[in-house]
Amino acid sequence: SNNSNNKSSSINNNGLEGALLRKEQDTLTEGESGVATDKRRIQMLERKLKEELYPDVAEAKGKASANKQAQESVRQSLGALGAARLQASQQVGELNKRELAEIKRLAKNPPMAVRHTLAACWLLLSSGLFR
């Protein structure tokens, strides 16, 4: 009787071990399936990265380089403009009261030759309005 209990216990243990093994095998199969799905997704993302994002990054780098060059050009132009403004400001500062008064008078009432020249320029530039 003791022998039959051992056999029955052994069968129960084998059945339990078999169930656990099947459960572990199912879990392993599910995990492998998940890994395969993840690998396919990674491959798809890598392909998308190479086809779409890398060219965009290269284009952005090219534009950034062009923008840096344009920015440097503007900086140089501003530096030159600042120097010219400073020089003009110094020259205006050297004008005396008599010269300033003459400039104001000429601005309000220019000589006849200047008026005629300005009128001729206006007619040439506005000739398209009279066709």
Side-chain angles (χ1 to χ4, degrees):
S1 118
N2 210 7
N3 206 7
S4 69
N5 278 344
N6 282 342
K7 284 184 181 181
S8 141
S9 174
S10 175
I11 291 173
N12 285 341
N13 283 342
N14 285 342
L16 184 60
E17 287 177 9
L20 288 173
L21 283 174
R22 280 191 298 279
K23 177 115 173 118
E24 286 182 19
Q25 188 174 13
D26 290 345
T27 303
L28 185 59
T29 302
E30 287 176 17
E32 288 172 347
S33 174
V35 168
T37 301
D38 289 346
K39 282 183 179 180
R40 283 191 303 273
R41 181 154 169 72
I42 288 170
Q43 288 172 345
M44 180 190 70
L45 290 173
E46 285 176 340
R47 191 170 39 253
K48 186 174 183 178
L49 182 69
K50 288 176 186 173
E51 292 172 358
E52 295 177 18
L53 298 179
Y54 284 165
D56 289 346
V57 169
E59 181 182 348
K61 283 182 180 179
K63 286 181 181 180
S65 176
N67 285 342
K68 274 187 176 179
Q69 291 172 352
Q71 186 180 28
E72 186 57 35
S73 174
V74 167
R75 235 185 230 122
Q76 289 175 354
S77 296
L78 284 175
L81 184 62
R85 182 179 175 272
L86 181 62
Q87 183 182 6
S89 176
Q90 288 171 347
Q91 289 174 349
V92 167
E94 293 173 1
L95 294 175
N96 60 36
K97 284 186 179 184
R98 193 182 92 233
E99 292 169 332
L100 285 174
E102 184 179 349
I103 291 171
K104 286 180 184 178
R105 183 180 56 77
L106 289 174
K108 289 180 183 177
N109 190 16
M112 197 52 83
V114 172
R115 286 184 191 187
H116 289 296
T117 303
L118 288 174
C121 289
W122 182 83
L123 285 172
L124 287 172
L125 293 173
S126 302
S127 64
L129 298 174
F130 302 109
R131 291 185 184 172

